[in-house]
Amino acid sequence: EPRALKQAFAYFAIFGMISPTFAPILGGFIQQYTNNWRLCFLALFYVTVISGVIVRMFMSETHVIPVVKISFLNQTKVYLSLLKLKSFMLYGFASAVIYVFSIGFYAYMPFILFRLHYLPVENGLIYSVYAVALILGALFLAKYLNKFDSRKIFAWCCLVFIFASIIFYGYFYFAYSLAALILLSIVIAF
């Protein structure tokens, strides 16, 4: 059922936002109170190792490995056939563009906040606003938007994203504001 599938993906997305919600705050504390940003990578290493051990111990493989191996050529043909699906390629490209803008947001935000003289912990809190907005967007999708056609939702989200990006670009060209940065975080994420 398409509606149940949308709900499942929305709830799945929520768990993907747990780390971006708390990691920037933890990283900000580490950087601010130890004055050593390299320790953030050490903390990330420990979290990765612990997570890997937990996954290995408690999550078994769900994919059944086929007895008959598919040749590389046949597997390549399967992937190349996806290129013929116009809707798949269009949504994939649009999703990639939105993802690139999100990564750009993550990449530029520390420099903007540094220029505005914000502390690393405050930087982490703003990232958390972004992550919480992603969670709220996923909940909103699971609760309300799953009733509507996915193509229309996607088109409207793309239009809002482009419109908000243009407005905020114009605004940031002339001024810097913490409230505007937080609002931009929410619009991009939601």
Side-chain angles (χ1 to χ4, degrees):
E1 179 183 342
R3 186 173 176 187
L5 185 62
K6 289 178 192 175
Q7 282 182 320
F9 277 117
Y11 291 130
F12 179 75
I14 291 169
F15 289 104
M17 289 299 106
I18 290 173
S19 175
T21 302
F22 297 109
I25 297 172
L26 178 63
F29 275 108
I30 290 171
Q31 181 181 352
Q32 185 169 333
Y33 294 112
T34 66
N35 206 19
N36 186 353
W37 58 268
R38 290 171 185 87
L39 289 177
C40 293
F41 291 101
L42 187 61
L44 180 61
F45 172 76
Y46 287 133
V47 168
T48 303
V49 169
I50 292 168
S51 299
V53 168
I54 290 171
V55 167
R56 183 77 173 149
M57 288 175 59
F58 299 108
M59 298 181 76
S60 61
E61 179 63 60
T62 59
H63 175 71
V64 178
I65 299 173
V67 177
V68 178
K69 296 285 184 183
I70 300 173
S71 71
F72 179 76
L73 184 60
N74 286 340
Q75 191 64 44
T76 304
K77 287 179 184 177
V78 169
Y79 285 113
L80 289 175
S81 69
L82 292 175
L83 295 174
K84 297 176 184 174
L85 302 173
K86 292 178 185 175
S87 293
F88 175 78
M89 294 305 296
L90 178 65
Y91 288 127
F93 178 75
S95 295
V97 168
I98 291 171
Y99 180 74
V100 166
F101 276 106
S102 295
I103 295 302
F105 169 80
Y106 269 114
Y108 278 107
M109 186 61 78
F111 299 107
I112 293 171
L113 293 173
F114 178 77
R115 186 173 175 183
L116 294 172
H117 308 290
Y118 286 99
L119 299 173
V121 172
E122 294 167 325
N123 185 351
L125 290 172
I126 291 173
Y127 278 126
S128 295
V129 168
Y130 175 77
V132 168
L134 284 170
I135 292 170
L136 292 175
L139 286 172
F140 192 73
L141 172 64
K143 184 86 171 164
Y144 302 109
L145 293 181
N146 63 20
K147 301 169 189 156
F148 301 104
D149 182 36
S150 297
R151 291 174 290 199
K152 289 180 182 177
I153 293 170
F154 189 75
W156 276 105
C157 288
C158 287
L159 288 173
V160 168
F161 184 81
I162 291 168
F163 183 68
S165 297
I166 291 169
I167 288 173
F168 283 109
Y169 174 78
Y171 179 78
F172 284 117
Y173 188 76
F174 299 107
Y176 289 101
S177 163
L178 180 62
L181 286 172
I182 290 173
L183 187 59
L184 175 64
S185 300
I186 292 169
V187 169
I188 288 176
F190 199 75

